[in-house]
Amino acid sequence: MSASDGSPNPHPRMYGDLARWWPLISPVEVYQGDARTAAGLFAAAEGPVRTVLELGSGGGHTAFHLSSRYAMTLVDLSEDMLTVSRALNPGVEHLRGDMRELRLERTFDAVLVHDAIDYMTTEEELSAAFRTAYLHCRPGGVAVFFPDHLTETYEPRTDWGGEDAADGRGVRYLEWGLPVEPGAHTVRTEYTFTLREADGTVRTAHETHVTGLFPAAVWTRLLRETGFEVSTATESGTEGEPTRTLFIGHRPVG
């Protein structure tokens, strides 16, 4: 998901003119575990889960591992990322939209919001995204949220990676998460990309992303105020990875 004008991330290049590099920046196989976790959490729904709405679906990498089990509808604010996802997930419904404002006038058995939820940088934005999820979740259905970090679990860290393509293209990136300023509800991450075209031309790109940082109590309060019954699941981080808390919102029947 990319952010709209007026937010701290007006037009992130990672999701814009650099979107075609996404499969090399964040390979599809990395998402298999999260897709498996999401499918397990969908079991909290009352009744079978057949239809899933993913808000902030990005390049469609999570959906790739779910689309054989569910009828997916993928929504993202970036048309460039939707183009990447359409190539990976042909036949899956793709729609351009903002998770803070989307109104499809239909409901789904489950709603999934992966780490695009991190781009909600105020309580008002977070609450708006929760409202969208609630309105699109059928009574008895569930909404599952995958924030990368909470105030209690955030740790400044550096990550790097990248892949090479068969056509000669390649990417290497550096991700630098900075310490949180006292009292801040956002965190800044610096990204640097080295991009090699198929003809051997190399260039670099840099940008700053600002993401929200809220305590678990704020997440729980806002979800409950939206109308959800709330539960959580905790994943222990692998080596070098922080513990992650996932939120499950159950829309009550009636």
Side-chain angles (χ1 to χ4, degrees):
M1 173 196 170
S2 55
S4 62
D5 291 336
S7 75
N9 309 279
H11 295 288
R13 296 188 63 195
M14 191 191 303
Y15 312 129
D17 66 294
L18 300 182
R20 67 186 180 93
W21 299 93
W22 185 251
L24 301 181
I25 293 171
S26 192
V28 66
E29 57 267 20
V30 172
Y31 295 76
Q32 187 170 7
D34 281 356
R36 185 167 50 247
T37 297
L41 296 177
F42 292 162
E46 297 180 37
V49 173
R50 298 187 179 95
T51 60
V52 176
L53 170 67
E54 184 177 0
L55 301 172
S57 55
H61 288 187
T62 307
F64 175 80
H65 301 287
L66 295 171
S67 58
S68 63
R69 299 180 59 179
Y70 309 105
M72 305 286 296
T73 295
L74 307 184
V75 176
D76 199 83
L77 189 53
S78 167
E79 190 61 43
D80 294 294
M81 291 296 275
L82 288 171
T83 297
V84 174
S85 181
R86 289 187 184 104
L88 180 66
N89 299 292
V92 173
E93 182 179 25
H94 289 78
L95 300 170
R96 186 176 184 273
D98 188 326
M99 70 170 70
R100 294 163 290 194
E101 303 170 354
L102 182 77
R103 298 293 183 267
L104 297 179
E105 306 302 329
R106 53 188 164 121
T107 60
F108 300 79
D109 298 321
V111 178
L112 171 63
V113 192
H114 200 255
D115 55 5
I117 194 67
D118 292 333
Y119 288 94
M120 305 299 103
T121 58
T122 66
E123 288 192 22
E124 291 75 18
E125 287 188 331
L126 196 59
S127 183
F130 293 163
R131 182 66 177 166
T132 297
Y134 184 87
L135 291 174
H136 291 88
C137 183
R138 66 161 170 82
V142 293
V144 178
F145 304 87
F146 278 70
D148 272 340
H149 43 246
L150 303 175
T151 301
E152 297 91 337
T153 60
Y154 176 76
E155 297 177 4
R157 57 189 297 269
T158 300
D159 195 11
W160 58 90
E163 299 283 335
D164 297 321
D167 63 3
R169 293 179 304 123
V171 176
R172 296 296 182 270
Y173 73 85
L174 176 67
E175 175 186 343
W176 182 15
L178 301 180
V180 180
E181 297 181 5
H185 296 292
T186 59
V187 62
R188 193 170 100 235
T189 304
E190 303 291 342
Y191 289 92
T192 303
F193 305 95
T194 301
L195 312 166
R196 185 188 67 218
E197 298 284 359
D199 64 3
T201 304
V202 175
R203 62 189 173 96
T204 61
H206 163 263
E207 67 176 353
T208 301
H209 288 220
V210 177
T211 50
L213 188 66
F214 305 99
V218 168
W219 275 77
T220 299
R221 173 175 58 82
L222 294 179
L223 283 165
R224 286 177 175 163
E225 288 175 356
T226 302
F228 284 116
E229 296 173 351
V230 186
S231 60
T232 61
T234 302
E235 288 186 333
S236 298
T238 57
E239 184 177 355
E241 297 283 345
T243 297
R244 186 170 60 165
T245 300
L246 313 180
F247 291 83
I248 305 96
H250 178 268
R251 179 169 177 172
V253 175

